[in-house]
Amino acid sequence: MRTQTVKADLDWSSLSFGYIKTDFNIRYHYSKGAWSEGELFDDDNISINIASGCLHYGQEAFEGLKAFETSDGRTVVFRPDRNADRLRNSCQRLFMPQVPTAMFNDAVSRVVKANARFVPPYGTGASLYIRPLIIGTGPRIGLGPAEEYEFIILVSPVGPYYKGGFNPVEALVVEQFDRAAPMGVGNIKVGGNYAAGLAGDQYGKKMGYPVVLYLDAREKKYIDELSTSNFIGIKGDTYITPESNSILPSITNDSLSVIARDMGFKFEKRPVEISELDGFDEVGAVGTAAVITPISRIHHGEKVYTFGDGQSAGPVVKRLHDRLLEIQHGEAEDNHGWLYEVK
C-alpha cells in the first residue's frame, strides 16, 4: 500500500519550464579514482575552486530526464538507463570519470524520493524535470583533465517547454551560425554546444521564430538539428530523422521511432537534404523538454516549406505525441520496459 505524499503548495497546471528550488539535490565527489557514496543537500549553491577545470577548459556534461506520477499513483522515471549511457559517452569524450548506470539510477531514485512532494500530481500536465550534471572541480591551470569531479542531480517541477503547449511553431534555417563542427562534440550533451547555439537561437527569436534549424557545418546542405531538439519528418508511411556525427542522439526521438514502428510506420535514419522538405507531410522538433513540437513552416532564405495546412499539428505527429505521454503516465501499456519505478 502506497503512502499518500502531501504535495507542495504550487499551481501545478500553470507551471512554466523554469527552475523552482526543491527540498534536496544529491552530490557525489570523485577523487583518487573513486566516487563517494553521495549525499543529499538542501542548499542549491555550490562552492568550487576558481581554477576548476569546468571553468577554464569546459569539462562539463549534463543530462535531462523526467519523473511522472502515473494514473495508478506510481512515481516513474522515463528511460534513465539511456541517459546514463549518453552521459558516459559525454564523459569519455571529455576525459571525465564514468558514472556507472547503477550509481546513476540510484542517484535519480534517491533525489526523486527526497523531493516526492514536488512530483506533480497526475493529470496536471506537469512533470518533475531531473538534471544530472558532472563538472571538473579539481584546480587546473595547464591544459588537461581535472583530477577531481562533482556529479550532481537537481530536480525542479516544470510545465510545458513552450507556453502554447502542443501547438505548431514556425522555424528559421540559420546559415550564418554553426551549432557544432564535423568531428567535434555535437553528438554529446555538453554545455558548450548550447553556448555555441545561443547566437543562432537569439537571432531567430529576434526575427520572430521560437526555434531555428541548423544545417551541416561542412556543406550547408543537410539537416543537422534544431536549436533545442532533434528533427523528425513524416513522409507517407515513413518516419525519417537525420543521421550525422554532429547530432545529439535523442532518447525521445529513439522512443518515438519505436512507437512509430509499433504503429506500422517504416523508419529511416539517414542524411536528409534540406531540399527534401518539399516532400514531407509533417515535421516536428523532438526532445525531453517538449516531447514533440509540431512545425508548420520552415523558412530558408526566400523559400518557405509548409507542412499540412500550415496552421495545425499533423495527425501522425499528434498520435506519436499522445502515445508517448500515455506511456509515461501509465495510461498505455509499457511494452518496452521504459518506466523505472521509484518506490
Side-chain angles (χ1 to χ4, degrees), residues 77-78 104 108 118 150 200 206-207 239-240 257-258 319 334:
V77 180
F78 188 70
F104 184 96
V108 168
F118 287 97
E150 295 290 328
K206 185 177 179 181
M207 299 290 288
Y239 178 112
I240 302 168
S257 73
V258 173
R319 284 173 61 197
D334 176 23

Side-chain angles (χ1 to χ4, degrees), residues 75-279:
T75 297
V76 298
V77 180
F78 188 70
R79 303 192 76 180
D81 289 1
R82 289 299 303 273
N83 290 95
D85 291 343
R86 195 168 64 180
L87 184 63
R88 279 199 300 277
N89 289 337
S90 299
C91 290
Q92 183 178 26
R93 181 66 171 83
L94 297 188
F95 286 83
M96 298 194 293
Q98 303 284 302
V99 176
T101 298
M103 173 179 153
F104 184 96
N105 287 348
D106 183 60
V108 168
S109 181
R110 289 171 65 185
V111 76
V112 170
K113 282 194 288 187
N115 293 286
R117 71 191 190 96
F118 287 97
V119 177
Y122 168 74
T124 60
S127 58
L128 185 71
Y129 185 74
I130 304 166
R131 170 57 61 83
L133 67 149
I134 178 170
I135 55 175
T137 53
R140 190 86 196 190
I141 294 299
L143 178 60
E147 294 184 356
E148 297 185 11
Y149 296 83
E150 295 290 328
F151 173 57
I152 303 167
I153 302 183
L154 62 91
V155 299
S156 178
V158 297
Y161 190 81
Y162 293 108
K163 291 181 180 179
F166 185 74
N167 289 310
V169 300
E170 297 191 26
L172 176 69
V173 175
V174 292
E175 296 191 57
Q176 59 270 63
F177 305 104
D178 290 324
R179 174 188 157 271
M183 307 304 291
V185 293
N187 64 335
I188 60 173
K189 199 169 179 68
V190 294
N193 291 340
Y194 296 84
L198 285 174
D201 182 66
Q202 293 302 303
Y203 175 79
K205 285 182 169 60
K206 185 177 179 181
M207 299 290 288
Y209 299 93
V211 64
V212 298
L213 178 64
Y214 292 99
L215 303 182
D216 73 289
R218 180 179 285 117
E219 299 182 72
K220 302 292 186 185
K221 178 181 178 182
Y222 297 96
I223 293 174
D224 193 345
E225 65 177 66
L226 295 127
S227 48
T228 58
S229 320
N230 272 193
F231 172 97
I232 67 164
I234 304 299
K235 184 177 181 179
D237 63 351
T238 306
Y239 178 112
I240 302 168
T241 194
E243 183 173 38
S244 165
N245 290 333
S246 296
I247 295 175
L248 179 71
S250 164
I251 295 160
T252 303
N253 193 355
D254 178 74
S255 305
L256 291 169
S257 73
V258 173
I259 293 171
R261 280 171 277 186
D262 289 345
M263 292 178 173
F265 283 80
K266 300 173 186 175
F267 172 66
E268 293 181 4
K269 185 175 183 180
R270 57 172 176 78
V272 178
E273 293 190 23
I274 184 69
S275 60
E276 290 187 56
L277 290 179
D278 264 332

Side-chain angles (χ1 to χ4, degrees), residues 23-83:
D23 291 332
F24 297 100
N25 57 82
I26 193 166
R27 309 179 194 184
Y28 297 73
H29 181 71
Y30 182 91
S31 179
K32 298 179 181 179
W35 286 105
S36 69
E37 294 298 316
E39 183 178 353
L40 291 167
F41 285 79
D42 58 8
D43 185 1
D44 59 354
N45 294 293
I46 60 174
S47 177
I48 59 175
N49 192 289
I50 58 173
S52 292
C54 62
L55 300 178
H56 298 265
Y57 298 115
Q59 278 196 293
E60 180 272 347
F62 69 99
E63 279 298 321
L65 60 161
K66 288 179 177 178
F68 306 87
E69 184 173 278
T70 63
S71 57
D72 58 0
R74 294 175 295 147
T75 297
V76 298
V77 180
F78 188 70
R79 303 192 76 180
D81 289 1
R82 289 299 303 273
N83 290 95

